[in-house]
Amino acid sequence: RFPNLGEARLAMKEPTSGQTINSTFQVAEVSRPLYSVSKICDEGCEVHFCGTHASVTKGDVEIARLSRERGLYVAEMLLGKPNEKRPAGFGRQGASD
């Protein structure tokens, strides 16, 4: 267990697709945030996995592409100011955002 130090809403831009993802993260002493695939799917997205990468799509638009590194699917995102329009949201599990 990690102590919960609060939460932060972040706007992340996926550099390849240029899509913006707004998401709420729990603040804790970890080296990288984790996403719940079930929560991503609950937001109307689909996640497709293969041996070298995974992709997150919403409708016909690829929102994010994750490379596979040592057994983990990893996305590199650029941080920006949260957009209240929330174009493609992945919320925190259990949140009513």
Side-chain angles (χ1 to χ4, degrees):
R1 282 205 173 281
F2 295 96
N4 184 336
L5 304 174
E7 62 182 43
R9 183 148 179 83
L10 302 175
M12 301 172 294
K13 185 174 184 177
E14 206 281 335
T16 306
S17 71
Q19 295 291 314
T20 299
I21 300 167
N22 289 297
S23 191
T24 301
F25 287 89
Q26 299 303 300
V27 178
E29 286 191 41
V30 295
S31 61
R32 66 178 88 177
L34 302 174
Y35 271 136
S36 163
V37 173
S38 62
K39 191 61 179 176
I40 293 170
C41 293
D42 289 347
E43 293 292 328
C45 297
E46 292 183 0
V47 183
H48 302 274
F49 296 94
C50 70
T52 58
H53 70 278
S55 63
V56 179
T57 57
K58 192 164 193 173
D60 292 333
V61 177
E62 184 176 69
I63 295 172
R65 181 171 287 263
L66 297 81
S67 61
R68 186 172 177 184
E69 299 174 11
R70 292 176 283 164
L72 296 176
Y73 292 91
V74 178
E76 293 197 21
M77 302 283 192
L78 303 171
L79 289 179
K81 198 173 197 179
N83 181 346
E84 291 308 314
K85 293 179 187 173
R86 299 169 51 182
F90 299 156
R92 159 176 80 81
Q93 193 166 8
S96 59
D97 233 15

